[in-house]
Amino acid sequence: EPEVTQTPSHQVTQMGQEVILRCVPISNHLYFYWYRQILGQKVEFLVSFYNNEISEKSEIFDDQFSVERPDGSNFTLKIRSTKLEDSAMYFCASSEAGLASAYEQYFGPGTRLTVT
Amino acid sequence: DQQVKQNSPSLSVQEGRISILNCDYTNSMFDYFLWYKKYPAEGPTFLISISSIKDKNEDGRFTVFLNKSAKHLSLHIVPSQPGDSAVYFCAAVPTGTASKLTFGTGTRLQVTL
């Protein structure tokens, strides 16, 4: 069964450093997303991406964050200058085209980001 | 503020019995509702969804009920199995958004033998 994959599974970085989290969405999906879950809190939407541009973003997704689809398979989240409060589990998700099916998002296993 | 709430942090059910997980939302501006299951060290797994124009959707052992007047949805699992033990999240898609999911805080289900 097709699945969303994410690398690395765990990333440790120092405050102020740049990190890039990588995702390979399901191959026939056209919508891509990033979510995060701070320990003990809700899963929070960060950004959605369709047709090579951001379609929605949350207030969390400020100028320190960016997303990119550098080729036909990868989808990346970059944090330019990490802060302690960026420590969280980051989930990538994807969904098919179409109105109803676009709501059914399939998640990767997550990347645990630890900022020290 | 568009909130989705799961007021029960945990639930324990015997194998073979029905599990009922509940979710409330604070306004009517959601078009679609979904349930996800999450095991430790894994991402959320899509289970079942329901459009705001329906009141019930069934898929195998899983049924989701939507009560719009009460702003309440529930997930029924019948019969419950030990492999159903996980954290269950309800999520909703706000009206006017493409597909942003707003998640509840989750309910940990433990199915005992």
Side-chain angles (χ1 to χ4, degrees):
Chain A
E1 186 174 325
E3 58 182 17
V4 176
T5 60
Q6 290 185 244
T7 54
S9 56
H10 191 190
Q11 174 88 48
V12 181
T13 189
Q14 286 191 325
M15 195 167 50
Q17 295 296 305
E18 174 184 285
V19 293
I20 298 176
L21 310 183
R22 291 183 167 80
C23 169
V24 178
I26 294 173
S27 62
N28 65 332
H29 286 185
L30 298 179
Y31 294 79
F32 313 114
Y33 315 86
W34 284 102
Y35 291 81
R36 77 173 187 190
Q37 185 179 27
I38 295 171
L39 188 63
Q41 298 187 22
K42 292 183 180 186
V43 176
E44 300 173 290
F45 170 81
L46 291 178
V47 66
S48 60
F49 191 86
Y50 170 70
N51 200 26
N52 282 319
E53 60 183 28
I54 290 174
S55 50
E56 280 184 276
K57 60 182 181 179
S58 71
E59 58 275 8
I60 302 167
F61 194 88
D62 61 21
D63 292 344
Q64 292 300 309
F65 291 87
S66 63
V67 289
E68 192 178 29
R69 187 148 165 85
D71 53 42
S73 60
N74 291 283
F75 180 52
T76 62
L77 174 69
K78 182 192 291 186
I79 309 175
R80 288 189 183 82
S81 178
T82 50
K83 300 180 282 231
L84 293 175
E85 54 265 36
D86 293 328
S87 294
M89 182 72 88
Y90 288 80
F91 294 107
C92 173
S94 68
S95 63
E96 294 181 49
L99 189 60
S101 58
Y103 294 148
E104 296 169 9
Q105 298 177 20
Y106 293 83
F107 284 73
T111 292
R112 180 170 299 284
L113 176 65
T114 302
V115 182
T116 62
Chain B
D1 188 22
Q2 295 169 335
Q3 291 288 333
V4 177
K5 298 179 180 179
Q6 294 175 258
N7 293 317
S8 298
S10 64
L11 175 68
S12 183
V13 172
Q14 272 191 325
E15 182 181 11
R17 305 292 290 267
I18 184 171
S19 295
I20 300 176
L21 298 118
N22 295 303
C23 181
D24 298 297
Y25 55 99
T26 57
N27 65 54
S28 302
M29 303 301 286
F30 291 115
D31 286 336
Y32 220 76
F33 300 89
L34 306 93
W35 283 95
Y36 282 83
K37 176 172 74 173
K38 187 179 180 303
Y39 294 118
E42 295 185 13
T45 301
F46 170 74
L47 274 178
I48 191 169
S49 61
I50 187 167
S51 165
S52 61
I53 62 173
K54 296 188 175 181
D55 53 22
K56 178 181 175 182
N57 189 26
E58 189 171 355
D59 184 2
R61 295 186 298 116
F62 302 93
T63 303
V64 56
F65 295 93
L66 177 62
N67 182 336
K68 289 181 281 295
S69 61
K71 296 188 179 60
H72 178 84
L73 72 156
S74 61
L75 174 68
H76 293 209
I77 307 174
V78 183
S80 301
Q81 299 173 352
D84 295 330
S85 297
V87 178
Y88 288 78
F89 293 95
C90 66
V93 181
T95 301
T97 69
S99 50
K100 162 187 171 181
L101 293 180
T102 299
F103 280 86
T105 49
T107 296
R108 182 176 301 278
L109 173 65
Q110 180 74 38
V111 179
T112 59
L113 297 173

